[in-house]
Amino acid sequence: GQNIDQPTEMTATEGAIVQINCTYQTSGFNGLFWYQQHAGEAPTFLSYNVLDGLEEKGRFSSFLSRSKGYSYLLLKELQMKDSASYLCAPTSTGGGNKLTFGTGTQLKVEL
Amino acid sequence: NAGVTQTPKFRILKIGQSMTLQCTQDMNHNYMYWYRQDPGMGLKLIYYSVGAGITDKGEVPNGYNVSRSTTEDFPLRLELAAPSQTSVYFCASSPSGGQFFGPGTRLTVL
């Protein structure tokens, strides 16, 4: 089965750093994706973690701890355009390459 | 590459009408998916396909049907539209791993 937990909303200031946490309980866990979704638009890929540790990609970094069922997305030097929903999506080794999406964390960046 | 395309962008249906949501990808991906997303909620998997001729149910398949006659196309059929099917529908494709999403179809059933 799947159980994914993310905060519903977060607010941060432009230029600051924000960390969005995700805990999951996934049978046959394989890896974890983070997607960004602006209002009224489709989700877009941000990161993918398979191994434990931190993956850095520009202003965005993602961390995974497989033993703790925990991941976070770190956004640095926040910009107004980062205001969006951030979706945590673990994947399992079951057939179909399926993702299960959390309800997402709505991030609001303020001046 | 156009990526994943969906038509129509918007549609209003009356209760009991039927329609097909079209999805096409030009990336030669084997895997394709249909999701629905209700306001303020996460994406729920309706149906998916691992290749031409193979489809399987996702989390919320009731009221929908799919077919996959070619690698490129994965249409979603609503036979008897109900107000509960008012939602935004996203199609996605994947080679394996990450999924690439189409722009979505916003469907309202009145």
Side-chain angles (χ1 to χ4, degrees), chain A residues 8-111:
Chain A
T8 304
E9 294 178 344
M10 297 182 73
T11 302
T13 305
E14 189 178 36
I17 299 173
V18 71
Q19 178 174 312
I20 302 174
N21 296 323
C22 172
T23 57
Y24 60 89
Q25 292 174 315
T26 301
S27 302
F29 177 79
N30 191 36
L32 189 140
F33 288 87
W34 283 95
Y35 280 80
Q36 180 191 60
Q37 186 177 24
H38 284 100
E41 297 183 9
T44 55
F45 169 81
L46 286 178
S47 68
Y48 178 53
N49 293 69
V50 176
L51 302 177
D52 285 354
L54 189 68
E55 295 273 349
E56 297 187 75
K57 190 186 294 185
R59 293 190 300 114
F60 292 8
S61 302
S62 56
F63 172 84
L64 177 67
S65 169
R66 297 175 69 103
S67 62
K68 295 182 180 178
Y70 169 67
S71 174
Y72 68 73
L73 182 69
L74 193 70
L75 290 75
K76 303 175 188 175
E77 301 169 17
L78 280 173
Q79 301 174 9
M80 298 298 288
K81 68 178 182 180
D82 297 330
S83 293
S85 183
Y86 291 86
L87 311 175
C88 167
T91 183
S92 62
T93 54
N97 190 45
K98 294 179 286 184
L99 303 180
T100 300
F101 287 88
T103 54
T105 297
Q106 187 66 45
L107 174 66
K108 182 178 180 183
V109 180
E110 299 179 329
L111 291 171

Side-chain angles (χ1 to χ4, degrees), chain B residues 36-104:
Chain B
R36 60 175 289 172
Q37 186 175 35
D38 299 333
M41 303 295 287
L43 294 142
K44 301 289 186 186
L45 183 64
I46 305 171
Y47 270 95
Y48 68 100
S49 169
V50 301
I54 306 169
T55 63
D56 208 346
K57 295 178 181 178
E59 187 180 355
V60 290
N62 290 346
Y64 307 94
N65 277 299
V66 293
S67 59
R68 183 96 184 271
S69 56
T70 66
T71 299
E72 295 78 18
D73 299 306
F74 191 41
L76 178 72
R77 179 86 177 159
L78 284 72
E79 290 293 349
L80 290 170
S84 61
Q85 293 178 304
T86 293
S87 191
V88 180
Y89 291 84
F90 289 104
C91 177
S93 73
S94 172
S96 68
Q99 296 180 13
F100 298 83
F101 286 81

Side-chain angles (χ1 to χ4, degrees), chain B residues 4-11 19-25 34 73-78 89-91 102-107:
Chain B
V4 180
T5 57
Q6 292 183 237
T7 56
K9 285 186 170 52
F10 304 93
R11 183 74 185 268
M19 77 163 293
T20 299
L21 283 68
Q22 301 292 346
C23 176
T24 300
Q25 54 97 3
W34 274 106
D73 299 306
F74 191 41
L76 178 72
R77 179 86 177 159
L78 284 72
Y89 291 84
F90 289 104
C91 177
T105 294
R106 189 173 299 273
L107 176 67

